[in-house]
Every structure is written in structure tokens, then in C-alpha cells.
Amino acid sequence: VSTADEIRDLLFAYCWHLDRGEYDDVRELFVDPSAAGDLDETFVRPIGAPTTKHVCSNAIITLADSGTEASVRSYFLAQQQLEDFPLQPVAAGRYHDTVVLVGGSWRFVERRVLRDFIGDTSRYLRSEIDA
Amino acid sequence: VSTADEIRDLLFAYCWHLDRGEYDDVRELFVDPSAAGDLDETFVRPIGAPTTKHVCSNAIITLADSGTEASVRSYFLAQQQLEDFPLQPVAAGRYHDTVVLVGGSWRFVERRVLRDFIGDTSRYLRSEIDA
Amino acid sequence: VSTADEIRDLLFAYCWHLDRGEYDDVRELFVDPSAAGDLDETFVRPIGAPTTKHVCSNAIITLADSGTEASVRSYFLAQQQLEDFPLQPVAAGRYHDTVVLVGGSWRFVERRVLRDFIGDTSRYLRSEIDA
């Protein structure tokens, strides 16, 4: 398992927990949990889990010379389906991350979410969010 | 090429052959070919190939200390298009796998397919399947 | 960062620049820039950037014994959204690549784009293209 694999695991853990509404676990992926943003204010709380699926792909990892910090750009594609909401893509965009190795684990220092494409987000994002 | 790369190759080989209707090749990816399930009874047989595209992403690999066994969780997103069926996502879900290194090759011991999201599967899954 | 990671970075750089309409950067990823094809004649020029998102996944890398050449098969799934064009998949297919290590960087020798699935490509591909 390479350093790149470990960093990708961090990206995937974020999606995994987000898709299941496990926001505490999402926050634990950050050096400073508050840097995760206010997830309850951003996302419509899923009923049951998972109700979205964030495909994270195309991760380009730039490792610092120290080997303990990296910047990462990746794509996400969020799919959603609910009983009264047919399977469809609801958003797509980019994650711009700074990650760091602390205590043997990679963590997010910062994650910028760039929502380039927005579909029907009525069941995904809270309306007050400027997507 | 890392161990994680080799394991991901196994995940991708499954999708590659499934999307092309090469079920014998899918079965060969399993230690016990019958563990692949009855593919002919599960999937609508594609006419020509490929008629689906299973994007496999977000693979989180947990390698056992032995280094010859691992459990893997990943996402899949199945897209389909046919002459009379517009391009669309038809299913999305998770693969929960146990994989093992045998004779120098990684193989599936077990693959659990969790179809979280189901779209129009009339051309993808046989109707008798409880999706 | 493994050799496979470096090769995947090349695949992702292609998508990154293509999605942003940075065709000169796409061409620089090829040993012979003309092997990138006539991008202006193939794709509808995005207004602003990015206007497509090419998810590249399922990359199976076969490294030559030399360690400086490889053949790669991967999937792509192109999503698009514009102000007057709802978020949707517009194409999906396969990339069949030959890549080579030159001067410390992996570059494409050849990229074959197989567009297996075609959606509404009116805002993605030029009409004269036989998709």
C-alpha cells in the first residue's frame, strides 16, 4: 500500500461516511473537525443510509518533499435515488484538498468543494446553500 | 505495481468482463467459480458488447497481516445505453469483497453486491431478481 | 507513488485539461502532439471551464518488462451541464492507450477513444463527428 493509496483511502472514507450520513466520522477525517464545515446545514439529512453515492475519481496527488503533506485534486459525481426520486446525477465537481500525515494517519487540513454542475439538488442540498 | 494495484485490477477485470457478457471470464476471477452466482439468471444477456459500463470507484482495501488476503469495499455505478434505450444510470451500489492471493493471482473468495440504487433495470437485470 | 500512480496521473491530466478546454496542455501529454487528434474539430469548445467532466475509472495497466512502456485500458464517463442543458451523462466508453516514459515523464504514444455509449452530444461533440 503506497502513500498515494493511503491518501486515496482518506478521500474515499469521506464519501463513504457522507453517503451514510455519518457526519461525526466525516469530521474525524479533519485535523480540525470544524474545517469539515457545517454538514447538517449543507446537506439534506438522508433517511436511512446511504441515499447518495459520491463517486470520487481522477485524483491527482502532489506530494510535498517532506512526504507528510500533499495537495490533491479530484472529481466527484454525486448520484441519488429515493423512493420518489429516480436515480440520477445530482451534482458533479471538484475537490481541492490539502492533506497531512498526523500520528500515522492522513487527515484533511482543508477541503474545498467546487460544485461545477448542479442537477436537481432538492433532496441533496439545503435550499439556503448557494450551490 | 503495488498490492493495492493488483487487487484493483481484479475489481476492474470483473467489470470489464461483465460489461462484455464474458461470463466465463468473470467466473475465473473467483477461487470457486460458482461463487460468482448465476450470472445468466441475474443479468439480461447483452446483445453485442459492451452494453453496460460498470464504473468501479472508491475502493477501500484492508489488507490482512498475512499480505495474502484482503477485504475490499467499493462503489459501482452502472450506465447503460441501447439503440432504443437512452444513456442513463441504471444502478449504483457497493461491492463488499473478500479476496485472496492464490498461485500469484488475486481472486475473489466472495463478492456481495449491494444494489442501493435502482433505475430502469428492464434491460439490465432479469425481472425475477429482487434488486 | 508507484509507476501505476504516475500512469494514472497521465490519464487524469488528459481529462482535467480536456474538461477545461486547455487543448494545448492536452497535446503536451503526447510524445507527438499531433497524435492527440484535432481536438478543436472533435469537441464543442466549452464556454468558460469546465463544461464537461470526464470520470476516468477502471484503469487496467499492463507494464512492459522494460518498465518504461505500458498499455492501458480504462473507462470514461462524460457528464455535462450547461445553463440550458441539464446535468446528464453525454457519453461513456473506453480509452485504449499506449504510454511511454520519456525524460522522466509518462506520455501517450497513442490514445484510442471508443465511444460505446452516446447520449445527447449536441453540446459536446461536433456534429460532423461519427461518434
Side-chain angles (χ1 to χ4, degrees), chain A residues 49-97:
Chain A
T51 59
T52 51
K53 199 140 257 104
H54 284 76
V55 168
C56 180
S57 70
N58 297 41
I60 298 179
I61 298 169
T62 307
L63 196 64
D65 289 338
S66 65
T68 60
E69 198 177 324
S71 61
V72 188
R73 297 177 303 186
S74 62
Y75 280 176
F76 72 88
L77 171 61
Q79 302 275 333
Q80 189 171 34
Q81 189 225 324
L82 299 165
E83 228 173 291
D84 57 347
F85 188 90
L87 178 57
Q88 63 195 273
V90 292
R94 290 163 288 156
Y95 293 129
H96 282 200
D97 302 319

Side-chain angles (χ1 to χ4, degrees), chain A residues 1-2 5 8-9 11-13 15-16 19-20 49-57 77 79-81 87-89, chain B residues 2-5 8 55 57-61 63 73 75-77 79 89-94 96 116-119:
Chain A
V1 176
S2 70
D5 288 322
R8 273 189 295 259
D9 278 357
L11 306 190
F12 298 156
C15 295
W16 180 268
D19 287 335
R20 299 171 68 90
T51 59
T52 51
K53 199 140 257 104
H54 284 76
V55 168
C56 180
S57 70
L77 171 61
Q79 302 275 333
Q80 189 171 34
Q81 189 225 324
L87 178 57
Q88 63 195 273
Chain B
S2 70
T3 294
D5 287 323
R8 274 189 294 260
V55 168
S57 71
N58 297 41
I60 298 179
I61 298 169
L63 198 63
R73 297 176 304 186
Y75 281 176
F76 73 87
L77 171 62
Q79 302 276 331
V90 291
R94 291 164 287 155
H96 282 201
D116 297 312
F117 299 167
I118 293 292

